[in-house]
Amino acid sequence: MATPSRPVPVLFRPFKGGPVVKHILLIGFGLVMLYPLLWMISSSLKPEELIFREPGLWPSQVTFDNYTAGWTALKHPFGYYLWNSAVVTALSVVANLVACSLAAYAFARLNFPLKKLWFAIMLGTIMLPHHVVIVPQYIMFSKLDLINTIWPLVMPKVLATDAFFVFLMVQFIRTLPRELDEAAEIDGAGYWRIFIRVVMPLCLPALATTAIFTFIWTWNDFLSQLLYLNNPDNFTVPVALRTFLDASSDSQWGPMFAMSIIALGPIFGFFLAGQKYLIRGVATTGLK
Amino acid sequence: MSSGKKVWSAALLATAMLAVTAACGSGSGGESADGKIKLRFSYWGSAARQQMTEEAIKKFEAKNPNIDVEGEFSDFAAYYESLSTKVAASDAPDVITLEIRGLREYADRGTLADLASTVNTGDIDPKVLGTGAIDGKQYAIPTGVNAFSLVVSPTELEAAGQKLPDDTKWTWDDYVNLASKISEKSGGKIYGTQQSFNPAYLQIFAAQKGEPFYNGNKIGVSPETIKEWWTTHQNLIKTKGSPDAAKTAEIGAQSVDQSLLATGTGAMGMWWSNQLGGIAKKSGKDVDLLRMPKRPGATTGGMFLQPAMFYTASSKSEHAAEAAKFIDFMINDPEVGGIILSDRGLPASSKVLAAVKDKLPPTDKKTLDFLDKVKGELADPPAAPPKGASAMEDILTRYSEEVLFGKMTPDDAAQKFITEANASIAG
């Protein structure tokens, strides 16, 4: 450090023990933010009757009963519901990636009649609250006789109704230089080939962002899954978790916490795997 | 450029996908694939209730091989959300479980069918049965009954050197004194009781003055009575018989599992009688039911039986006869009673109750004995409350907390409560 020409106020001087103190503060803050999760982990390891009697963070007795009881407490072993959720989520992710990227490519690169109007309508659907659409959508699926199947959850995604992701990709594709498309066109590539060989590989961050958010939102979605999956054989994790609790009779808090921890696993894993793309996606699209 | 062709092929692909997905739908309404009649039965509850219900459904299907009952179930918090969507989409289940506060709302919308002639209700106490009737039509059949009563832990009382009160004679003042003594003797480790803002409590309190909770589409409780009711709450806080206003608000928002009594930090509380089992299990202590205290000179104790829930049938069902048959079976079949026991309240049908009496767990036996004991003093079960009654608990809790926090005078709060409550049930 060169001595500054003017004395710097104490407040702005570089702080020597900086990194260490900064990290301690950040870790402390992180722990505070994590407290609810830590509490849930600790409660899942307590005997059921102690959860609210001793609400502290350190369990006085540790037991894995909640995990074994919770796994088998419902009609099916809990793995069955995890599988149901995995099917819905996987189909949603694939459908969103395919449909939204196609729609985005069309909006960003192709010319067709009334393009501006369609784009405005598409953006308009972002402003529609979910609850406005619920009843008409339910009537539609009920007339199609698709209640109690996973199609009401997946089909909208096949048709690129997640306008948020379409918009995200449109913005991303617009940042790509058109010269690349033109070069490919001169080499004789058609729209499909340009889309698959040129645009998509460059869109990887946007695709990863879409995949991760679709995964998290679908995995955590409750209301539409509750509405369309009435039969306990079709329950997904969020709906199954709710059946541990009932305001009017006996609630099984311990197993509920234990299974919630297990249900967090896939999200956590998926996020870790996709994190580096996500950072890139956020950095390049400015979306979080 | 063959762009036109490409776009067409994409469009074709999408159409093909749609066709495939649409073809995956199940057989159409009311007929399952194997030609059986399909009945949809919606109910709420916990996983344990779902397993019992599935068992009962299997029994019904064994006796009626041409009917296939499909249970649709969720937890209570989400139940009405999905039910109202289905009803709005005219896709209501054939058999719908409702609780008393939602009954009038669905009956007034023309959602429910009259079951008077199709379900056998001969073994149900006519007064209890009357709670499911609206404008002379028997829209709903009660499954079982509960009473709102005082839950006490004798062990905690003993530990604080107190005797069980004589609940045939005790007054609200006795109740406050007992609670404060328990708090005092335990050195602050145990609270005497916890506050309740349940409308059922106010209903009992008002009945002791001869006032009904609802008078048609209006609140029948006078402002004086509400103020008097709050006096008991204020005295409990003053004498430290209950936690202070802040902690009261905090535990009031939690479920019974987190109540003082269930977590071993309280000796008394007020709940529905069917919650006794849960409290006993969570607290690990012996618990018992007592009659509610009375006002000096009250002619009635004001306690009443309330149906735990009702079975109703959709008026738009294509299989009204089968729906009624299923309800009849669930209400009157002793075998079903043996499976469901007291899960939907103590069985409303006296025949079923007699058949399952000995199978009930010990806390339910206690409840049963208690209900038998107080049978002669009970007020008539209240008729289905007006539409909008579901919001009553929230409204009452809000104003009660304003009073206990000292933000509103009881006079002011009582007036405002009545105005807001009336507005909520006027519709």
Side-chain angles (χ1 to χ4, degrees):
Chain A
M1 285 286 306
T3 39
S5 50
R6 260 183 309 154
V8 179
V10 173
L11 206 63
F12 300 120
R13 263 181 223 160
F15 181 61
K16 282 288 184 292
V20 180
V21 174
K22 196 165 76 179
H23 274 93
I24 287 172
L25 284 176
L26 283 174
I27 289 168
F29 185 68
L31 282 177
V32 171
M33 296 309 283
L34 273 179
Y35 178 81
L37 187 67
L38 297 176
W39 189 84
M40 186 161 86
I41 293 173
S42 121
S43 298
S44 75
L45 296 170
K46 286 176 192 169
E48 171 120 33
E49 57 275 8
L50 292 186
I51 291 176
F52 295 115
R53 237 187 279 171
E54 301 176 1
L57 211 48
W58 292 114
S60 60
Q61 307 171 34
V62 171
T63 162
F64 286 94
D65 285 357
N66 287 331
Y67 286 84
T68 46
W71 190 263
T72 52
L74 305 179
K75 187 177 174 183
H76 300 281
F78 204 76
Y80 179 94
Y81 304 110
L82 287 166
W83 170 247
N84 276 352
S85 259
V87 170
V88 172
T89 308
L91 285 173
S92 298
V93 169
V94 171
N96 250 356
L97 285 178
V98 174
C100 293
S101 60
L102 281 169
Y105 177 64
F107 277 126
R109 286 289 195 257
L110 307 183
N111 274 316
F112 48 93
L114 300 177
K115 180 167 135 177
K116 282 222 161 66
L117 175 75
W118 296 127
F119 191 70
I121 291 175
M122 192 262 311
L123 279 185
T125 60
I126 294 187
M127 331 266 170
L128 273 183
H130 186 49
H131 298 89
V132 175
V133 195
I134 282 184
V135 172
Q137 217 179 37
Y138 185 91
I139 293 175
M140 188 177 83
F141 284 118
S142 144
K143 290 265 189 292
L144 288 173
D145 207 15
L146 292 177
I147 304 295
N148 244 331
T149 66
I150 58 168
W151 299 115
L153 306 172
V154 176
M155 212 152 80
K157 302 211 160 48
V158 175
L159 303 171
T161 51
D162 267 344
F164 172 79
F165 295 120
V166 178
F167 181 62
L168 180 137
M169 288 199 217
V170 167
Q171 294 307 88
F172 200 90
I173 295 173
R174 279 182 181 164
T175 62
L176 304 176
R178 269 199 186 260
E179 288 78 7
L180 295 172
D181 300 35
E182 285 159 7
E185 209 174 317
I186 288 166
D187 288 339
Y191 286 131
W192 270 110
R193 189 171 292 239
I194 294 174
F195 170 70
I196 288 165
R197 289 294 174 78
V198 180
V199 177
M200 279 303 101
L202 291 168
C203 273
L204 208 56
L207 290 173
T209 309
T210 303
I212 290 170
F213 278 118
T214 306
F215 185 96
I216 294 176
W217 289 347
T218 313
W219 187 266
N220 290 340
D221 177 30
F222 172 70
L223 186 62
S224 51
Q225 297 178 0
L226 168 86
L227 217 51
Y228 291 118
L229 306 175
N230 299 318
N231 186 334
D233 294 336
N234 298 336
F235 278 4
T236 51
V237 170
V239 187
L241 275 178
R242 286 289 284 265
T243 61
F244 281 111
L245 304 183
D246 183 50
S248 53
S249 60
D250 201 14
S251 294
Q252 302 169 281
W253 292 93
M256 195 274 290
F257 288 136
M259 291 303 110
S260 301
I261 303 276
I262 288 176
L264 282 176
I267 291 202
F268 194 61
F270 198 82
F271 186 81
L272 281 188
Q275 198 189 15
K276 57 175 189 286
Y277 298 104
L278 191 69
I279 303 291
R280 213 184 304 161
V282 170
T284 46
T285 56
L287 277 162
K288 202 169 166 266
Chain B
M1 286 299 307
S2 53
S3 65
K5 217 161 72 187
K6 302 288 184 202
V7 173
W8 271 113
S9 59
L12 271 175
L13 191 75
T15 330
M17 263 175 140
L18 259 182
V20 171
T21 49
C24 292
S26 55
S28 82
E31 294 283 333
S32 42
D34 45 9
K36 283 185 183 179
I37 290 166
K38 199 169 86 179
L39 272 191
R40 292 165 53 213
F41 166 46
S42 72
Y43 59 102
W44 70 84
S46 58
R49 175 174 297 162
Q50 195 240 329
Q51 280 156 358
M52 288 176 205
T53 311
E54 289 283 328
E55 230 178 297
I57 287 176
K58 278 206 186 78
K59 281 237 184 309
F60 178 74
E61 288 173 339
K63 288 189 179 166
N64 301 279
N66 63 328
I67 306 177
D68 171 24
V69 180
E70 233 183 57
E72 298 184 354
F73 115 112
S74 66
D75 67 305
F76 185 65
Y79 180 76
Y80 277 109
E81 219 167 325
S82 75
L83 181 66
S84 56
T85 309
K86 288 172 195 166
V87 170
S90 36
D91 189 37
D94 301 294
V95 178
I96 308 169
T97 311
L98 288 174
E99 42 96 65
I100 196 160
R101 288 172 305 181
L103 181 57
R104 194 174 286 269
E105 206 161 315
Y106 282 88
D108 286 354
R109 279 196 226 162
T111 314
L112 308 178
D114 187 356
L115 298 167
S117 53
T118 46
V119 177
N120 169 21
T121 52
D123 299 323
I124 300 177
D125 174 354
K127 279 181 180 161
V128 174
L129 184 64
T131 57
I134 291 179
D135 309 331
K137 290 203 171 66
Q138 192 68 49
Y139 287 119
I141 314 290
T143 59
V145 289
N146 297 318
F148 195 75
S149 31
L150 203 118
V151 181
V152 61
S153 160
T155 28
E156 296 286 10
L157 252 58
E158 223 166 284
Q162 302 301 313
K163 277 212 274 306
L164 263 185
D166 174 3
D167 66 345
T168 53
K169 293 210 277 280
W170 72 330
T171 62
W172 294 105
D173 289 337
D174 296 339
Y175 164 64
V176 174
N177 291 338
L178 176 64
S180 67
K181 278 209 186 88
I182 296 169
S183 297
E184 191 187 331
K185 286 270 169 18
S186 70
K189 279 204 295 289
I190 304 279
Y191 287 105
T193 186
Q194 79 178 64
Q195 309 270 11
S196 166
F197 306 127
N198 195 312
Y201 170 20
L202 179 56
Q203 184 171 334
I204 289 168
F205 190 88
Q208 296 177 358
K209 284 180 82 172
E211 294 175 2
F213 195 95
Y214 294 110
N215 205 342
N217 266 5
K218 276 206 153 38
I219 294 285
V221 188
S222 66
E224 289 70 41
T225 306
I226 301 179
K227 279 190 297 199
E228 212 177 308
W229 184 66
W230 278 326
T231 316
T232 307
H233 290 101
Q234 288 168 317
N235 288 345
L236 276 173
I237 290 185
K238 242 182 261 161
T239 60
K240 300 221 168 24
S242 78
D244 61 7
K247 193 167 162 95
T248 290
E250 182 193 328
I251 50 180
Q254 294 165 342
S255 71
V256 69
D257 305 321
Q258 299 163 61
S259 62
L260 297 179
L261 193 51
T263 52
T265 49
M268 293 188 282
M270 296 174 187
W271 287 281
W272 292 102
S273 53
N274 63 323
Q275 295 176 303
L276 191 68
I279 296 170
K281 199 174 111 188
K282 289 279 184 311
S283 66
K285 291 194 180 71
D286 183 33
V287 287
D288 221 334
L289 293 167
L290 292 177
R291 292 178 179 86
M292 288 287 229
K294 291 188 196 62
R295 307 176 62 245
T299 48
T300 164
M303 289 176 70
F304 60 94
L305 289 180
Q306 176 155 305
M309 54 181 94
F310 294 101
Y311 292 138
T312 66
S314 162
S315 57
K316 305 205 171 41
S317 168
E318 294 164 26
H319 305 291
E322 286 81 2
K325 195 173 183 179
F326 178 67
I327 295 176
D328 194 303
F329 181 83
M330 293 293 280
I331 297 279
N332 292 314
D333 189 282
E335 280 188 17
V336 168
I339 296 168
I340 293 180
L341 295 175
S342 65
D343 181 63
R344 286 168 162 87
L346 286 165
S349 155
S350 54
K351 219 187 243 163
V352 173
L353 186 58
V356 303
K357 220 174 199 156
D358 302 328
K359 290 191 194 162
L360 294 172
T363 43
D364 287 334
K365 282 216 180 75
K366 260 187 204 169
T367 311
L368 194 59
D369 293 343
F370 173 77
L371 290 181
D372 273 343
K373 200 169 63 178
V374 301
K375 203 172 234 161
E377 322 156 18
L378 290 173
D380 284 354
K387 214 156 99 179
S390 317
M392 204 48 60
E393 189 160 358
D394 291 344
I395 302 174
L396 188 55
T397 303
R398 202 158 12 96
Y399 284 107
S400 304
E401 284 174 359
E402 295 279 1
V403 170
L404 294 193
F405 276 108
K407 287 189 187 152
M408 261 191 207
T409 61
D411 283 86
D412 203 18
Q415 285 301 346
K416 282 196 170 128
F417 164 73
I418 289 176
T419 313
E420 186 175 343
N422 277 339
S424 131
I425 56 181

